[in-house]
Amino acid sequence: MSNRTFTMIKPDAVKAGNIGNILQMINAGGFRIVAMKYLFLTKQQAEKFYEVHAARPFYGELTEFMSSGPIVAAILEKGNAVADFRTLIGATNPAQAEEGTIRKKYAASIGENAVHGSDSDENAAIEGNFFFNGLERF
Ligand code: ATP
Ligand code: MG
């Protein structure tokens, strides 16, 4: 069990003006921000980030969406970070997300679902390293 996870506030939530609301929920959930950036991915960068999903039918749609507007990327710290953060964000499909979760509150659909959360300690490290170098973590 590691104490770090990686998240993105996705283009739908940024466009809807929900960066502040989502960061508030992240802080209230007990996560400390280790690193954070506001950036606009190219299609090629989104494809690289989501390489593990390349064979999935929604890969094109997903990478188009993730490169459709700016995002916030961050590394978060807390005991049991990966699992606890996935609990805080709720199910991939907001229609199935628990009340009080970030996706229940701010996501519109399974494709445009407001936030990303790493699914394992290994992927949290890979994803954090994709966006941040050692000098950008505090
Ligand atoms: P994330 O990795 O973004 O935290 P997740 O782990 O809950 O989400 P994954 O299975 O890893 O879900 O899918 C990655 C992303 O691909 C989802 O967050 C969603 O934006 C998109 N996605 C997943 N399934 C579908 C689908 N059936 N149709 C459209 N988009 C989808
Ligand atoms: Mg995932």
Side-chain angles (χ1 to χ4, degrees):
M1 179 181 103
S2 141
N3 61 352
R4 289 191 177 184
T5 191
F6 171 79
T7 187
M8 292 183 286
I9 301 177
K10 296 185 178 184
D12 59 322
V14 172
K15 282 195 188 99
N18 287 325
I19 294 175
N21 292 328
I22 291 171
L23 290 179
Q24 159 62 27
M25 287 183 72
I26 288 172
N27 280 143
F31 293 86
R32 190 181 75 78
I33 293 164
V34 173
M36 180 169 283
K37 270 181 194 175
Y38 185 56
L39 35 74
F40 197 148
L41 297 177
T42 63
K43 179 80 157 51
Q44 205 177 22
Q45 288 168 333
E47 284 168 357
K48 179 82 186 142
F49 181 84
Y50 281 110
E51 213 164 35
V52 291
H53 293 317
R56 309 274 285 274
F58 55 81
Y59 182 63
E61 185 188 329
L62 172 62
T63 55
E64 277 293 334
F65 165 59
M66 289 303 295
S67 58
S68 69
I71 61 157
V72 175
I75 296 172
L76 305 175
E77 187 171 75
K78 179 186 183 296
N80 200 29
V82 166
D84 284 3
F85 192 68
R86 287 183 72 90
T87 301
L88 179 66
I89 68 181
T92 309
N93 185 347
Q96 284 150 20
E98 296 280 331
E99 283 302 328
T101 60
I102 293 174
R103 282 172 170 160
K104 185 69 177 186
K105 283 190 159 159
Y106 300 117
S109 67
I110 190 167
E112 306 205 355
N113 60 3
V115 281
H116 166 81
S118 302
D119 60 12
S120 65
D121 291 345
E122 186 193 3
N123 285 334
I126 292 169
E127 293 169 1
N129 291 340
F130 185 88
F131 284 95
F132 299 100
N133 68 41
L135 292 172
E136 297 169 319
R137 301 166 192 227
F138 312 103

